[in-house]
Amino acid sequence: MSTHPFSGFLVYELKQNPEDFQVEEILKPEWLKESGKWTIFRLKKSGWNTLDALQRIAKESRVSLSEIGYAGKKDRHATTTQHISAEQVLRVPKDLSQALHLEKIGHSERPLSPEANAGNRFVLTLRNLIEKEEDAIRKNFEKISGSGFINYYDSQRFSRFHPEFRLPIFPFLQGYPETCLKLLLTDPFPGEKKQARDRKKELQTLWGNWSACEKLSGTKLESRIFSLLKKEKNVTSRTYIELISLFPEEELLMLLSSLQSLVWNEFVSELLGSDSSSGVWIKTKSGPLFFPEDSLIQTIPSDYNLQVPGAPGIITLEYSKKEIGFLRSALSRLSLEESVFKKSPFPKMKMNSFERNLRVVPENFVWEEFESDDLNSERKKVKISFRLPSGCYATMLVKRLMLRADV
C-alpha cells in the first residue's frame, strides 16, 4: 500500500433527501411477457431497503419471502423503482402505502433473479457545493465521461464491516464461530435506530447469559438461537457453526459475497497502485482504495474483466503471473489463506468465481447547470444522471467525480 498521503474530496452532500438519490432498475425486455406463471410487479419505494420491504409485502400477501423473486437490491436512503415477481397477487400493507407502491406490469415464464437486471438509471442531486470548486467538478466530469472509473464495490456492500474484525465471516474462517455469531446478532447496522442499537449493546453486555439474551430477542431467529444456547449443556464451536447455519440463505450468501468483494477491492488496489505516482489513495470504511490518474485508466480496455476470487480456488483461475502475485499479497494482508476460496464454508451456499469489469464508462452521463442549494445557504447544487450496468455502484462514480486530487 502507498505511503503517500491520502487524497480527500471536494465538499459535497449526497442523500440529504431520499429524492436526491433516484434509481430506476432496467429489466431485460425478454423477461416481460403478456402471459406466464409469474406476475411481474413494479415496486416503487422510499426509505426502505429491498429485503425489509419484501418481508412486509410477503406478510401482508400471506406468502413466504422465498416465493418473491427480484432482480436486484436497492438502498434504503433513496427513491427507487425495481421489479419483483410472484405466482399470486402481492399487496402492500395500508400503513406503508405512502412509502411503498406496487403496480402489475406483466408476466414472466420464470421468477425474477439478478439475471433479469440489465442495469440501473440514476438521477442524483449533489448538494452543499462550494462555488469555487465548480471548475474542478467540471474537469472530473469530463474525465469520467471519456474514461470512466474503476469498478470498485462501495460501502453498501459492506454494511456489516467492523473496525476490528472487518467482516463477520473473517473470525468464522479463522476458527472463531462464536465471534461471528456475536457480530451477526449484536453489531448494529449503519443508520439503525437508537432503540435497536441500545438493544444490541445490551446483548453484547449480557452475551453468555443466554436466558437474559433470550428475553431481549428482537426476532424469532434470535429467540430460537438463544433458546437453543440456553438448553445446550456443552456449547462448542460446532454448536455455534450449527446456529449460524440457521440464518436465512440470503444473509449467508451476503457474508460470502462481501468477503469476495472486499478481497477484489484490495486486489485491484494492489494491482493498480503498485506505482503510486500514477494516482492517489482514498480512505473508505472498508479500507484504502487506489484511484488511478486518467491516463492510466485509458490504457485499460473497456471490456477488460478481472475475476472475483472464488471456487475452485485462485490457482485454477485465469490470472496472469502479475495478477496472481498481487492477489496473494492482498490475501496475506487480510490474513487469509489461499485455500479460502476452494469451497464455501456453508455447504448449501456457493462461492463461485465470476468476472467483473475493471473499468466502467457510464452511459448517457449528463448534468444540469449548477443552481443555488435550497437546503444549504450560500452553497450550490447540481443534478446528474447516468446509466450503469448491474452491480456497479453510483456512489463510486460520485467519489471519482468529487475527488480533490487532479488525476
Side-chain angles (χ1 to χ4, degrees), residues 262-276:
L262 183 65
V263 171
W264 197 84
N265 275 6
E266 295 272 345
F267 169 30
V268 171
S269 285
E270 289 262 6
L271 183 66
L272 298 177
S274 56
D275 178 9
S276 292

Side-chain angles (χ1 to χ4, degrees), residues 21-26 43 45 48-53 70-83 117 119-122 156 390-391:
F21 197 103
Q22 299 180 38
V23 191
E24 180 187 358
E25 182 179 84
I26 305 165
L43 170 62
K45 63 180 185 62
W48 283 73
N49 69 47
T50 297
L51 289 182
D52 287 344
Y70 56 93
K73 297 176 185 173
K74 299 292 179 283
D75 195 11
R76 176 165 67 94
H77 303 287
T79 299
T80 69
T81 302
Q82 64 183 109
H83 303 89
N117 192 337
N120 296 284
R121 293 188 188 93
F122 296 89
Q156 303 93 305
S390 174

Side-chain angles (χ1 to χ4, degrees), residues 6-176:
F6 287 94
S7 177
F9 295 99
L10 303 168
V11 177
Y12 77 99
E13 293 283 348
L14 182 61
K15 301 183 181 180
Q16 281 196 295
N17 281 331
E19 294 79 16
D20 289 348
F21 197 103
Q22 299 180 38
V23 191
E24 180 187 358
E25 182 179 84
I26 305 165
L27 198 65
K28 291 179 180 177
E30 63 267 25
W31 281 73
L32 195 60
K33 308 285 185 181
E34 292 186 5
S35 62
K37 187 177 180 181
W38 284 268
T39 301
I40 304 295
F41 301 86
R42 182 182 290 119
L43 170 62
K44 295 182 178 180
K45 63 180 185 62
S46 180
W48 283 73
N49 69 47
T50 297
L51 289 182
D52 287 344
L54 293 187
Q55 285 175 345
R56 291 297 302 273
I57 290 170
K59 185 177 180 181
E60 180 70 17
S61 308
R62 297 184 179 179
V63 301
S64 68
L65 183 60
S66 62
E67 293 178 73
I68 301 178
Y70 56 93
K73 297 176 185 173
K74 299 292 179 283
D75 195 11
R76 176 165 67 94
H77 303 287
T79 299
T80 69
T81 302
Q82 64 183 109
H83 303 89
I84 62 176
S85 66
E87 291 187 60
Q88 67 179 66
V89 175
L90 298 178
R91 295 182 295 273
V92 169
K94 288 183 180 179
D95 61 319
L96 296 180
S97 60
Q98 296 299 313
L100 306 178
H101 181 263
L102 272 179
E103 176 190 2
K104 177 181 171 182
I105 62 169
H107 296 85
S108 177
E109 296 171 350
R110 47 184 170 156
L112 290 185
S113 69
E115 294 177 17
N117 192 337
N120 296 284
R121 293 188 188 93
F122 296 89
V123 180
L124 311 184
T125 300
L126 302 175
R127 296 182 178 272
N128 202 30
L129 308 176
I130 298 176
E131 187 171 356
K132 68 180 181 180
E133 294 184 341
E134 285 184 22
D135 287 344
I137 299 172
R138 293 179 196 275
K139 189 180 292 185
N140 285 342
F141 175 85
E142 294 300 327
K143 290 177 180 178
I144 295 172
S145 297
S147 307
F149 61 101
I150 301 302
N151 193 21
Y152 290 117
Y153 293 93
D154 209 353
S155 55
Q156 303 93 305
R157 189 71 160 188
F158 311 112
S159 59
R160 287 194 175 276
F161 192 84
H162 190 278
E164 179 183 354
F165 300 103
R166 291 191 175 94
L167 300 169
I169 192 68
F170 274 67
F172 185 94
L173 294 169
Q174 293 158 358
Y176 303 102

Side-chain angles (χ1 to χ4, degrees), residues 246-315:
L246 297 177
F247 278 78
E249 290 187 0
E250 182 75 31
E251 193 153 356
L252 295 179
L253 185 60
M254 183 52 67
L255 291 180
L256 300 180
S257 298
S258 60
L259 169 67
Q260 291 179 277
S261 303
L262 183 65
V263 171
W264 197 84
N265 275 6
E266 295 272 345
F267 169 30
V268 171
S269 285
E270 289 262 6
L271 183 66
L272 298 177
S274 56
D275 178 9
S276 292
S277 63
S278 60
V280 294
W281 291 87
I282 66 163
K283 290 182 179 179
T284 73
K285 181 181 79 170
S286 56
L289 296 177
F290 184 74
F291 275 46
E293 63 181 22
D294 190 59
S295 59
L296 177 57
I297 293 182
Q298 290 178 11
T299 66
I300 302 172
S302 59
D303 60 349
Y304 181 76
N305 291 325
L306 194 63
Q307 287 182 304
V308 177
I314 69 171
I315 299 301

